[in-house]
Amino acid sequence: MSPIRASGVRAALRISRRNALRSRWRSTLILAMIGLPVALAVFALTALFPRPGSDRQHFPIGQADAVVTGAHEWAGLTQDAWGNGVPAQRVPAQPDSALRVPAQRDGARRPFTQAEVTALLAPGSRVIPVARGTFRYLTPQGYDTGEIRQVDLRDPMSRGTFRLTEGRLPATPGEAVVSAERLNRDDDPAVAPGVTLLVGEERRPVRVVGVALFAMAGIEPALVTFPGSLPADAFGPVDPELMSRAWLVDSPRPVTWADVRRFNARGLVVVSGAVIDRLPADESYARVSDLVRTVPWIAIMLLEVVLLAGPAFAVGRLRRSREFALVAVQGGSPAHLRTIALADGLLFGVAASALGAALGGVAARLATPLLEWRAGRLFGPFQVPWVAVTTVAVLGVVAGLLAALAPAVAAGRTDPVAVLSGRRERGRERGRERAGRPLLGIVLVVSGTAATIASAGHDIAWTATSALVTQLGLVALTPAIIAAAARLAARLPLPLRFAARDAVRNRGRTAPAVAAVMTAVVALVAVGVAGDSEIARRSAFGYTLAPAGTLQVSGPDLTPDLWDRVRSAVREELPARVPLIEARMLATGSGVPLNAFVVDVASGTSTVEWYDATGSGGLLVGDENLLRYVLRRDDPGAVAALHEGKLVVLNPDVIRQGQVRIGLSRVTGGEAPPPLTLPAAGVRATGQGWARAVISPEAAAENGYGTVTAMLVVDPADFRTPSATADRIAAKVERITGMATVRLETPEVPDDTLFLVVLSIAAAVLVLGMTSVATMLAAVEARPDLETMSAVGAAPRVKRAVVAGQALVIALLGSVTGVLAGLAPGIAAARRPVPYPTVFLRTDGVTTAVPADAPAIAIPWALIGLLVVGLPLLAALGGAAITRSRLPLPRRRAT
């Protein structure tokens, strides 16, 4: 760049800064239009995306130098820097290679003792034991299951792995802190500070003394106990994958990779902080992948900013037309005028992006404690992804320049004679503004729509990308759409006819406004269709596993005493002769519930898992009343099979040679009981029941298993429980325990009221805000025409009607086009794959993830009506209300 050119840019920036300070309201508006999306993107990238290393560790190291675990039988193992493992045949030699534990690790394991680990470390090293495992523990309101860690949180090595939020840290054996995630999950006082829990089958007492947030390391702990609260063997055998029994190491020197390999030779798995710190950013792929997935959303945001800020820059260009004319008559070239106009975009883009990035980063830092509390875990050290933040800021500057580009081109065409004499510029009188690029727009719309249809059932990022292509095509077609609408308005009343023709004559101002409204409406309609479809699907199929009218009280983790109290509370609200059906589930001799699954005898693998009664049904234990409820009819043959000790199965296809083999597992993990082979009878159900198989309590006892109550049921065939009665039962049960669920099965109507209210508020803010800016610009440019109307005797209300017509045209064109364009991506998003599909149980006991009569698509007609009818009319009324009705007389101009 030559010195003259550089000085010209500096002069243009000074002019832009002076005008920005002079028009503070317009400047603030532009800064908000560009800066707020930048701030939102930076906040999301900084606060919501995973922090590096936050989910890679088996056990959080904190301030320790390393965490180690191992057994003498593992001598000669190899590992990667994170302690991960692979099959034994892989023998890596680098820090990023994988763990190989010899085959004998699955036999007898002699774990290292604390003294042996200390002897292998550098002199002066210190170690403290840590352990983790899944336990079932008894609360005052029933049983619960979760991970329990055992470590001294007061030790400096634990610093950074937690943050105490309430109470104090454990100081003696028998004390623990509960995780905020566990406390927030159920929102009940069952594990609050001051409560004593009974942990494990031995029921060791543990008193909760505080609440803490913990760093994510696989599964967040429900409780963290002081060392000695639980015996070491209660955590199971030593395991390198789970770090079930390990030690934190405080070493006088860093634990190097050579030390790790030396420990591997002795049978120790080591995760060293010094080794991890020297690793390259192996999370970069995930970070780049996350950034790539956000590209379409950032591009849509950029497009919206350009279209939204464009009219605001056009207003500034129009108000500075006399300034541009004076520069032109003093020798300024069109290039100089364009540079002065583009300086606005550069100045506002840089200022808004810098302020937005700073605001987003500060907001993310301030919001981190609240987000951590809501998530129930620590996010790790606060880090700013500078590459992503810089990219977003640069995009903000680019958005400012692109928004100022069209006004800059118009400024370069300034007719100084017409402007200084107060006349309309000739180029504008002749309608020289182009009608867009219809051919390019048609190609983009067709290809984008086809890609959107093809993206149905795939990742949502593909749908967003294809929708972006469609929107770009519609932006290119917007001038042609405006021209077509003007031709259709030939027979409309004067205000609408004038507004339509004014929109055609000033496409450079109207097209960005219509396109901005259209882009916002496309996003709102797409979100509305996808969200409404999801609500309808959940409401129609998410909770319809029991017959309509059934009252269920479920809670497999309640104690017998609590069940007695719950049973009495339910009985008090029911008529005397109504049977209360009790469904039980298999359990160990100590009362630990067991999960059951069918085992394929030929392959030895499980085919269909049978969950407990609080899930999708399962192997239930009960009498003929339960069997009648499950089958939805009286069946003497099935009752006889039940009394004979047979397993009554709703899906006869799983029976092999008159028997069914059932695998069992503890809900708390650990060694599983041996498989159970039972004689079976297949009986087809005639209606929607709950279980897939029923066995009698006597048959369970004969096979050496106990039972625990899982659910109480009131069959609608016996008594159809009124809603008021169910509400009273629920209130009584809640006072007894918060770990029981009372449900009255009733047909549910999709309730999308809150969802539509939120979308409607967003639609009103976006559409009315964009329309207002464009309408103000149109009113300023139409001033000469309004003055002419006044001179020929137009009534005062004409100006209000004209401004209202301009607002109506802009809002109506943008809304109608946006609604039509938003249906395709909304439908495609609604058909995306569900990560965790709901399991549905047919009457024959067979499960399926997708019901045959699943709802197609739910269209939010109320939202569409608001967008197509309500908001355009509201925009027109708003434009008329804020416009002065008194028309100014035309000024006398020198000839």
Side-chain angles (χ1 to χ4, degrees), residues 500-643:
R501 291 177 177 176
D502 178 73
V504 175
R505 185 169 53 182
N506 300 283
R507 293 190 187 98
R509 172 249 300 160
T510 310
V514 172
V517 174
M518 174 201 69
T519 303
V521 170
V522 166
L524 291 169
V525 171
V527 172
V529 172
D532 228 28
S533 300
E534 178 66 15
I535 292 173
R537 186 186 70 84
R538 289 181 178 274
S539 298
F541 297 96
Y543 305 97
T544 57
L545 295 176
T550 302
L551 177 70
Q552 298 174 341
V553 183
S554 57
D557 290 324
L558 302 186
T559 62
D561 177 64
L562 286 173
W563 268 122
D564 290 339
R565 296 170 59 189
V566 169
R567 191 179 293 106
S568 299
V570 176
R571 284 285 188 191
E572 290 175 358
E573 298 296 333
L574 296 177
R577 296 184 178 181
V578 174
L580 186 59
I581 302 172
E582 182 171 355
R584 305 177 70 87
M585 57 190 302
L586 292 179
T588 64
S590 59
V592 178
L594 296 173
N595 290 330
F597 51 90
V598 176
V599 177
D600 189 330
V601 179
S603 62
T605 60
S606 63
T607 56
V608 180
E609 187 165 356
W610 284 349
Y611 296 101
D612 61 74
T614 61
S616 61
L619 172 62
L620 296 185
V621 182
D623 56 13
E624 58 267 21
N625 289 326
L626 175 64
L627 186 60
R628 178 171 57 88
Y629 166 71
V630 170
L631 297 178
R632 308 307 305 139
R633 71 177 188 273
D634 290 316
D635 191 321
V639 172
L642 185 69
H643 289 166

Side-chain angles (χ1 to χ4, degrees), residues 230-253:
L230 301 174
D233 56 4
F235 294 90
V238 61
D239 191 321
E241 300 289 340
L242 300 177
M243 291 284 180
S244 56
R245 295 159 66 180
W247 296 269
L248 290 178
V249 176
D250 180 14
S251 175
R253 63 176 181 83

Side-chain angles (χ1 to χ4, degrees), residues 49 167 191 217-218 223 254 271 279 342 401 425 517 540 638 640 652 675-676 786 855 857:
F49 277 13
V191 290
L223 298 167
V271 180
L279 288 177
L342 279 174
L401 289 172
E425 300 176 63
V517 174
L676 177 63
L786 297 176
I857 298 297

Side-chain angles (χ1 to χ4, degrees), residues 320-414:
R320 297 170 61 190
S321 57
R322 183 175 178 83
E323 178 183 324
F324 289 124
L326 291 175
V327 172
V329 298
Q330 295 180 59
S333 65
H336 289 138
L337 300 180
R338 288 192 294 269
T339 301
I340 295 173
L342 279 174
D344 278 355
L346 180 61
L347 178 69
F348 284 111
V350 172
S353 297
L355 292 174
L359 178 63
V362 172
R365 183 67 182 91
L366 296 177
T368 293
L370 177 61
L371 294 175
E372 288 178 336
W373 176 255
R374 295 295 299 175
R377 61 180 177 85
L378 296 180
F379 287 166
F382 181 79
Q383 297 181 12
V384 178
W386 292 110
V387 174
V389 170
T390 303
T391 301
V392 171
V394 170
L395 289 176
V397 176
V398 172
L401 289 172
L402 291 177
L405 183 60
V409 173
R413 299 172 181 171
T414 298

